[in-house]
Amino acid sequence: IDLFAPTTTKRDDHEEDDFEPDSDDTVPPPVPPPPVGASSNTREVVAVVFEAQRDRVSAYRSFDAALAEALENGTTAESKPAAAYAAAARRATARFDAISRRVNACEAELRRRGHGPCADCVRAVQIAEKEHLELTAAVHLAAFRREDDLHPRTALNHCIDTINDALDALRIEAEDE
């Protein structure tokens, strides 16, 4: 994995559905980070993690917007909004996977360079982000079912706090390098 290459996603050729992609069905690549080579320092690798995190936030916003649109305009399996949401879920999954692979590569690079504390912070972000995605899926499912279960939302808010704490710790560790 080229950890400094822009994150890109593509739709699998074997996916079959009746959904016709429109101009919103493409995932724009994130803004690429500045080039970082073998002589880069820890802060530059950490900057790649933060850039990936900004892309992750953007992906969550798009995913949540697709849910809101589906809920507003129809959620039956045959409805166009539900089909659009299904396509958005596929895009989000691909995007989150690409981001995760990139952040994992950054973690490995930090460990390779002997920056264990920074790598540990990145690992904490990744663990919390996995939970974040699972809780987001639970919140979306509850919304489709019109359930008012506050537990997933409360857990999601706690998870976001955990991610922010891990990012703050990473920022501090990187400053010490």
Side-chain angles (χ1 to χ4, degrees):
I1 295 175
D2 181 358
L3 90 115
F4 303 110
T7 307
T8 58
T9 59
K10 67 178 183 176
R11 187 175 169 139
D12 292 336
D13 291 335
H14 66 276
E15 288 183 325
E16 294 182 21
D17 59 25
D18 294 331
F19 178 71
E20 292 290 326
D22 60 23
S23 61
D24 293 334
D25 195 38
T26 58
V27 178
V31 176
V36 181
S39 65
S40 64
N41 63 36
T42 300
R43 287 184 186 157
E44 291 170 322
V45 176
V46 170
V48 173
V49 173
F50 280 100
E51 182 65 35
Q53 194 63 26
R54 283 187 288 278
D55 188 40
R56 207 177 244 156
V57 169
S58 173
Y60 276 112
R61 285 184 180 144
S62 296
F63 194 28
D64 288 341
L67 172 68
E69 184 176 332
L71 292 174
E72 184 177 317
N73 298 315
T75 57
T76 64
E78 300 81 28
S79 73
K80 284 192 180 234
Y85 176 80
R90 285 190 301 275
R91 286 191 309 274
T93 299
R95 206 166 160 189
F96 290 131
D97 178 63
I99 293 165
S100 183
R101 283 185 280 113
R102 188 165 184 204
V103 173
N104 286 340
C106 288
E107 177 193 359
E109 180 64 14
L110 289 166
R111 288 198 193 286
R112 186 188 71 73
R113 294 174 182 208
H115 301 294
C118 285
D120 292 344
C121 292
V122 173
R123 175 66 6 222
V125 168
Q126 288 294 87
I127 290 168
E129 280 294 352
K130 181 179 184 225
E131 182 182 7
H132 184 192
L133 186 55
E134 291 167 356
L135 289 167
T136 297
V139 166
H140 283 209
L141 182 60
F144 265 106
R145 292 179 176 169
R146 308 287 186 193
E147 298 172 351
D148 274 341
D149 185 358
L150 293 179
H151 174 71
R153 287 191 187 281
T154 302
L156 182 60
N157 290 335
H158 175 72
C159 185
I160 291 169
D161 289 342
T162 300
I163 292 164
N164 288 332
D165 289 346
L167 290 169
D168 287 342
L170 176 58
R171 191 175 287 109
I172 291 167
E173 287 296 334
E175 287 173 3
D176 291 343
E177 295 295 328

